[in-house]
Amino acid sequence: MVGIGVTMILVSPFASAEITLRNTITGETLDMSFAKKGGDTDAFKQFMKDGKNPYNGKKDIEEKGKSLYMTGCSGCHGHEAEGKLGPGLADDYWTYPRNGTDIGLFETLFGGANGMMGPQYVNFNTDEMLQIMAFLRSIYTGDKSKAEWLKQ
């Protein structure tokens, strides 16, 4: 019986993960089985190993992320991520300070937060979330010394 459990873990797409993703509010481990299909890319696998978004600084990916952001996020966060119903996302103030890291921002996107920010795994796959994050990092207007993702 133990051997079967080990085998199942080894074939899981998230088995090589070296980081643990946690719910922004509760701190519970995120259940990645809810992830929308199509996001288990090499970039996502790399992110799960080191917690760094491999798409940061890649202009072509930032454009894809912008398109995804405009369709799924701008209604609440504003077309320039300036904040509307939801908080601004382009400055150096984070409602959840952990969002200053790529891991933290991913956790909030995937699992949701307080208020109207529901889990986005129903709208985006994990790779698309990384693309959105790359776009948000590209429009950052805050103090670069406060940009934790640049120090990772």
Side-chain angles (χ1 to χ4, degrees):
M1 194 75 158
V2 171
I4 292 170
V6 171
T7 302
M8 289 173 61
I9 289 171
L10 292 176
V11 296
S12 166
F14 302 106
S16 64
E18 294 177 15
I19 62 171
T20 300
L21 297 171
R22 302 201 172 276
N23 182 282
T24 298
I25 304 304
T26 67
E28 296 173 4
T29 302
L30 288 174
D31 184 348
M32 298 305 291
S33 70
F34 290 115
K36 190 174 178 182
K37 297 206 183 308
D40 193 30
T41 60
D42 288 341
F44 182 70
K45 290 174 186 172
Q46 183 61 45
F47 170 73
M48 289 299 292
K49 288 180 183 176
D50 62 19
K52 297 177 187 176
N53 186 350
Y55 291 148
N56 287 345
K58 298 194 173 170
K59 299 294 180 200
D60 58 328
I61 298 295
E62 291 167 3
E63 284 302 312
K64 291 177 184 178
K66 179 179 181 177
S67 178
L68 292 165
Y69 172 88
M70 294 304 262
T71 60
C73 312
S74 65
C76 291
H77 293 284
H79 285 77
E80 297 177 20
E82 73 277 12
K84 289 171 68 176
L85 298 172
L89 302 173
D91 57 19
D92 54 25
Y93 173 77
W94 294 101
T95 303
Y96 305 101
R98 188 165 158 88
N99 287 355
T101 68
D102 287 338
I103 293 171
L105 186 55
F106 183 88
E107 289 168 334
T108 299
L109 274 169
F110 187 88
N114 277 330
M116 297 185 308
M117 177 68 184
Q120 294 302 301
Y121 59 75
V122 298
N123 298 318
F124 303 108
N125 68 41
T126 53
D127 191 72
E128 290 169 330
M129 290 180 201
L130 293 178
Q131 293 174 38
I132 292 167
M133 290 167 50
F135 164 67
L136 291 173
R137 300 310 195 200
S138 77
I139 61 169
Y140 180 69
T141 61
D143 181 347
K144 297 279 189 215
S145 70
K146 294 181 180 180
E148 290 298 319
W149 69 90
L150 294 174
K151 301 173 192 175
Q152 293 178 310

